[in-house]
Amino acid sequence: MVPDPAFFVIMVAKIVVVFGLMLLSVAYLTWLERKVIGDIQVRLGPMRVGPHGLLQPIADAIKLMFKEDIVPQAADRWIYLLAPTLALTPAFISFAVIPFGDRIRLFGRTIDLVITDVNIGLLYVFAVASLGIYGIVLGGWASNNKYALLGGLRSAAQMISYELSLGLSVVGVVMLSESLSLVQIVNAQSTAWFIVLQPIGFLIFLICAIAETNRAPFDLPEAETELVAGFHVEYSSMKFAMYFMAEYANMITVAAMATTLFLGGWRGPFLPPVVWFLVKLFLLIFLFIWIRATLPRFRYDQLMRFGWKVLLPVALANIMITAAFVAMR
Amino acid sequence: MTEARTMTINMGPQHPSTHGVLRLVLELDGEIVVRCTPHIGYLHTGMEKIAESKRYQQVIPITDRMDYLAPLSNNLAYVLAVEKLLGIEIPPRARVIRVMLTELTRIGSHLVWLGTHAIDIGAMSVFLYAFREREQILDIYEQVAGARMMSSYFRVGGLFADLPEGFEKTVRSFVTTFPDRLAEYEDLLTRNPIWIQRTKGVGVIKPEDAIDLGLSGPNLRACGVPWDIRKSNPYSGYEQYTFEASKGSHGDVYDRYLCRIFEMRQSVTIVRQALERLPDGPIAVQDPKLTPPPKPMVKQSMEALIHHFLLWSEGFRAPAGEVYQSIESPRGEYGVYLVSDGSNKPYRVHFRTPSFVNLQSLPRMVEGRLVADLVAIIGSIDIVLGEVDR
C-alpha cells in the first residue's frame, strides 16, 4: 500500500507548526516569567528591549549564541557535550502525543490536532520525560565540578522519588477513562473533567509536576543560593541555553499534561478548542510562576520525606479508592 | 586505591550566599557538613590602623564602612567613645535625633538581613519587598546627610547639621506604613510550613555556648539570654524610652528570625517616642574648640575664622587615657576601645565588632547539618564582612 502523500505533508506541517510554536513559547515563557515575577515583586521586569521588553527573549537568544562556549579542562568532553541535548530533546518530543484541539476539516481533509495519537500516549510521555533526567545527571557529573555533582545527585534523587508518585497519580485517570491514549482520555472527559472526579490525583500530579520540572519550591538541583547554579554551573553559551529551554519546555509539557489529564484538554464551551487548551495551559503556567515567587525552597531531606512518606501513600490510597469506585460502577 | 569518604569543597569567597567575601572550607559527607572552617580577611582594609593617622573627627567616615548596613550605629559607638574621653554631654536634641536615626538604622539593617535570609532559603519576593522598605530609610538618610549609605551624620559633640524641613513628615509616614508591611512579610514567612521546616531546630546553640563564644545581639537573645546593651548599660538616654528587648528560647534559626522581626517592631515604637519628645535647641555642644562655628560667623568674626581653621587643620586634642564604649548595634555589641596619648589623633582604636565574634559560632552551629542548613544558618547569624575584616 502506498501511503497517502498528503499524510506526510500534513504530518510535517503539524510537526513544524507545533515545534515552532513550542520554541517560540519557550522563549516567551522566560519573558512571561520575568514579567509576572517582576509584577509580584513590585518592579517592572524587562522594559528596555522593545515595548515592555517584548523583544527581550530574542536579544537573550542572540546574546547566548554569541557567548564563549567553555568546556572545562577536567570535564568529560563527550558526555559534557551530549548532556544538554539529552535534556532538551525529551522535553520537546514528549509534546508529540498531546492533543491540543478537536479534529478540524481543512481542504476537505479531517486533521486531528495532535501530532500522533499513540495508543500508549501516557506511557510514552512518562517514558520520554524521565529520559530528561539523564541530561541533568550526566551534565552534573561530566562538568567535574563539586557543586555540579551535588546538583546532579540531588536531581537524580528527586526525580526518582517524584516520578513514582507522578505515575501513580494518573492511574486513577487511566482507570476512569479506560485508555492510555491521550486523545481517548480527553474524549472521556466530555461529561465531567477529571479534576472533579480525581481532585487528589490532580493535586499530587501538580506537586510532582513542579518537582519534575525542578521548579521552586523544588528547585534543589539548581538552588542558586546553595549550589551556586547546581548541575549547570559550568555550562555557558548555547549549552546553558539548552538546559534553560529544556526547563521551560518541560514546564509547558507538564502543564499540557495536567490540562489533558485533569482539565478536560481542549474541551470547553463557546471558545474554539485550541483557545481553551491555551487558556488552561496559561493558567497552569501562571500558577507555577506564582508559586516560584512565593514559596521558600524545601531542603533535600524534607523533599525526600515529603515524596516518599506523604505523596506516595496518598497516591496509593487514591488508587485504591478509585479502584473500588470503578469496580462498584 | 584509598577510599575517599569525605569531599572538601570550597564555598566562597565568591558565593551568592556567604554574604560578602566569606570563604568556608567545608568537608562534606554526602551533603552533610562534617567540618566547616571559616576563612576571613578578604575584605581587610586596615581600618583600625588608618584611624591612628586620622584626627578624631576624621575617623567617623571610616566607621561607616565597617558595618555598611548600619553606618549610623558605628558612628554612634565611635562618637560616644570620643565624647566619653572628652567628658562632654551633648544637647538633648542631638541625643534624641541620634536615637531616632540609629533605630531607623536598625530597621534598615534588619530589612537587609530579612531579605537576604529569605532569598537564601528560596523565598525571593521577600528580598525585594524588604529592599523597597529600606529604600525609604535610605531616603531619610539622604535627607539628613546627603548620602544614602555612608551618611556619617554624627559628629563628636553632636550632629553634622540640624534636621531638614519635612524630615518629621517622612519619618512619620514611614513608621505608620511600616508595621503593616512587616505584618505582610510575616504572612509570607512566619507561619509558612516550608519556612518553619527550614528554620525550626536548625543551627541550635545553647545559651552557655553562646555566652562562651561571646555571641551578642539577636543571636544571643534568641537563646533566651536577655542581654541588650540598651537595657543593661543604657547610652544616649535609652533608659527614658519604653521598649522591650527581644527574647527567644530555642536558639535556632527560627527564633533568631522572630527576634529580629520583634526588634523591628520595637524600633518603630522607639522612633515614635523619639518623634514625640524631640526637643528644640542646639544640635551640638556649644564649644568652639570642639564644634565648628556657624558658617556665616566665619565670614564676619575673626575669632570664629580662627576656630574654624584650627578645627579643620589640627582638630581638637583629647586628654590622655583610655575608654571603652559599647552600643547595641543591629548585630550585637559594637564596642569601641580608644586609647589617647593626648594628641589630636587616637593612639589606638579597636573596634569590637559583633559580626567578627558572632561568626566564630558558625562551625558549632553547622557541623552535622546539611549544606542547605548552612546557608540558612549563615543568613541567620547576619554577618557583614566589612565588619568582620575591618
Side-chain angles (χ1 to χ4, degrees), chain B residues 280-292:
Chain B
D280 287 328
I283 46 107
V285 193
Q286 298 301 297
D287 178 355
K289 304 280 181 211
L290 265 179
T291 50

Side-chain angles (χ1 to χ4, degrees), chain B residues 37-111:
Chain B
T37 321
H39 287 243
I40 59 169
Y42 289 89
L43 207 60
H44 182 68
T45 40
M47 288 178 186
E48 288 177 3
K49 190 71 194 166
I50 294 171
E52 289 170 20
S53 59
K54 298 274 180 198
R55 296 189 303 274
Y56 283 102
Q57 293 280 31
Q58 287 179 321
V59 178
I60 295 168
I62 301 175
T63 62
D64 271 350
R65 283 148 182 83
M66 255 173 242
D67 181 354
Y68 42 76
L69 297 178
L72 286 171
S73 295
N74 311 352
N75 286 176
L76 182 66
Y78 173 74
V79 297
L80 284 177
V82 181
E83 281 159 11
K84 205 176 192 179
L85 191 65
L86 294 166
I88 53 169
E89 272 286 312
I90 63 159
R93 182 175 172 82
R95 287 221 305 198
V96 174
I97 294 173
R98 278 182 182 179
V99 166
M100 191 166 22
L101 284 168
T102 40
E103 288 307 319
L104 284 172
T105 303
R106 188 183 315 278
I107 298 174
S109 167
H110 281 356
L111 279 172

Side-chain angles (χ1 to χ4, degrees), chain A:
Chain A
M1 193 183 97
V2 183
D4 183 6
F7 171 79
F8 284 107
V9 174
I10 293 168
M11 197 45 121
V12 170
K14 277 198 286 197
I15 292 172
V16 168
V17 168
V18 168
F19 287 121
L21 280 178
M22 186 99 172
L23 270 174
L24 199 68
S25 14
V26 163
Y28 274 88
L29 203 52
T30 61
W31 176 84
L32 181 77
E33 172 147 48
R34 290 170 70 179
K35 274 295 191 192
V36 170
I37 290 189
D39 198 51
I40 291 173
Q41 299 174 341
V42 274
R43 45 190 186 92
L44 292 171
M47 284 299 277
R48 299 296 177 90
V49 194
H52 288 272
L54 267 173
L55 298 177
Q56 186 70 46
I58 295 163
D60 283 345
I62 294 171
K63 185 197 78 173
L64 280 166
M65 271 182 238
F66 285 101
K67 283 268 178 184
E68 189 187 350
D69 197 358
I70 299 163
V71 181
Q73 243 175 1
D76 190 325
R77 207 181 156 78
W78 289 109
I79 297 177
Y80 181 83
L81 298 180
L82 185 69
T85 328
L86 272 180
L88 185 62
T89 319
F92 271 84
I93 58 175
S94 50
F95 207 82
V97 291
I98 292 171
F100 46 89
D102 202 356
R103 50 185 53 167
I104 52 166
R105 286 195 68 81
L106 209 62
F107 309 123
R109 283 179 177 281
T110 314
I111 300 171
D112 287 321
L113 285 187
V114 53
I115 291 180
T116 174
D117 177 18
V118 191
N119 58 2
I120 48 154
L122 192 56
L123 216 53
Y124 166 81
V125 173
F126 283 134
V128 169
S130 359
L131 287 179
I133 177 66
Y134 282 108
I136 292 176
V137 174
L138 291 177
W141 181 77
S143 310
N144 212 342
N145 175 307
K146 288 168 182 171
Y147 285 108
L149 181 66
L150 282 177
L153 283 176
R154 281 181 175 196
S155 179
Q158 181 174 332
M159 289 275 184
I160 291 166
S161 322
Y162 280 78
E163 197 107 290
L164 208 58
S165 310
L166 185 76
L168 291 176
S169 71
V170 299
V171 171
V173 169
V174 175
M175 281 198 259
L176 288 172
S177 62
E178 293 167 5
S179 169
L180 281 171
S181 152
L182 293 176
V183 175
Q184 290 301 319
I185 289 174
V186 172
N187 287 336
Q189 297 180 71
S190 53
T191 46
W193 292 358
F194 283 148
I195 185 174
V196 184
L197 302 173
Q198 287 282 315
I200 299 165
F202 177 69
L203 271 180
I204 298 172
F205 182 87
L206 209 60
I207 294 169
C208 295
I210 299 172
E212 275 281 304
T213 46
N214 288 333
R215 285 187 57 87
F218 304 102
D219 55 343
L220 301 174
E222 47 185 307
E224 289 136 35
T225 45
E226 294 159 26
L227 300 181
V228 194
F231 61 90
H232 61 59
V233 68
E234 293 286 0
Y235 281 91
S236 59
S237 184
M238 262 332 265
K239 289 209 275 296
F240 167 75
M242 280 161 93
Y243 274 122
F244 227 78
M245 282 157 71
E247 183 185 327
Y248 282 86
N250 273 327
M251 221 166 117
I252 297 179
T253 309
V254 293
M257 283 293 288
T259 307
T260 309
L261 294 174
F262 294 98
L263 300 178
W266 41 262
R267 288 186 184 278
F270 313 122
L271 295 171
V274 180
V275 175
W276 265 114
F277 182 78
L278 291 177
V279 165
K280 290 170 188 171
L281 199 65
F282 173 78
L283 287 178
L284 280 173
I285 287 174
F286 183 82
L287 181 71
F288 290 164
I289 297 174
W290 189 5
I291 288 174
R292 179 173 171 208
T294 314
L295 290 181
R297 187 181 300 122
F298 269 105
R299 202 173 64 199
Y300 181 60
D301 58 325
Q302 293 162 350
L303 181 92
M304 291 291 140
R305 201 178 312 138
F306 185 61
W308 290 104
K309 292 193 176 168
V310 179
L311 288 182
L312 192 64
V314 174
L316 284 171
N318 186 44
I319 293 174
M320 296 298 171
I321 294 163
T322 315
F325 178 73
V326 171
M328 279 192 295
R329 194 165 54 177

Side-chain angles (χ1 to χ4, degrees), chain B residues 78-251:
Chain B
Y78 173 74
V79 297
L80 284 177
V82 181
E83 281 159 11
K84 205 176 192 179
L85 191 65
L86 294 166
I88 53 169
E89 272 286 312
I90 63 159
R93 182 175 172 82
R95 287 221 305 198
V96 174
I97 294 173
R98 278 182 182 179
V99 166
M100 191 166 22
L101 284 168
T102 40
E103 288 307 319
L104 284 172
T105 303
R106 188 183 315 278
I107 298 174
S109 167
H110 281 356
L111 279 172
V112 175
W113 156 80
L114 176 65
T116 49
H117 187 39
I119 205 171
D120 282 348
I121 299 187
M124 62 170 166
S125 291
V126 178
F127 176 75
L128 284 126
Y129 299 147
F131 269 65
R132 172 184 62 185
E133 263 36 272
R134 177 173 176 255
E135 200 62 22
Q136 298 183 36
I137 291 171
L138 294 186
D139 285 345
I140 293 172
Y141 286 177
E142 192 179 4
Q143 264 193 348
V144 297
R148 287 162 55 79
M149 278 184 77
M150 304 300 149
S151 40
S152 298
Y153 180 58
F154 300 159
R155 291 289 182 280
V156 176
L159 303 168
F160 151 69
D162 206 344
L163 295 177
E165 231 172 277
F167 169 83
E168 216 169 303
K169 209 175 133 236
T170 330
V171 176
R172 258 183 219 288
S173 85
F174 175 76
V175 292
T176 44
T177 56
F178 181 68
D180 296 340
R181 295 273 170 86
L182 195 58
E184 283 177 26
Y185 311 149
E186 280 213 85
D187 283 345
L188 277 173
L189 300 176
T190 307
R191 278 177 302 279
N192 183 329
I194 303 180
W195 180 263
I196 292 173
Q197 277 188 30
R198 287 297 306 274
T199 53
K200 253 201 178 139
V202 173
V204 180
I205 193 150
K206 287 200 250 0
E208 311 88 76
D209 290 346
I211 293 169
D212 286 351
L213 287 165
L215 279 187
S216 55
N219 294 328
L220 177 66
R221 290 194 287 274
C223 309
V225 184
W227 192 67
D228 186 323
I229 300 173
R230 291 175 296 176
K231 290 274 187 200
S232 60
N233 305 68
Y235 52 91
S236 287
Y238 265 109
E239 65 276 8
Q240 298 154 17
Y241 297 85
T242 14
F243 68 99
E244 280 174 57
S246 59
K247 193 166 174 295
S249 47
H250 303 100

Side-chain angles (χ1 to χ4, degrees), chain B residues 2 23 55 62 148 193-194 255 276 312 324 338 387:
Chain B
T2 52
R23 175 177 167 224
R55 296 189 303 274
I62 301 175
R148 287 162 55 79
I194 303 180
D255 275 21
E276 294 313 320
W312 257 267
Y324 178 76
L338 196 68
E387 197 181 60

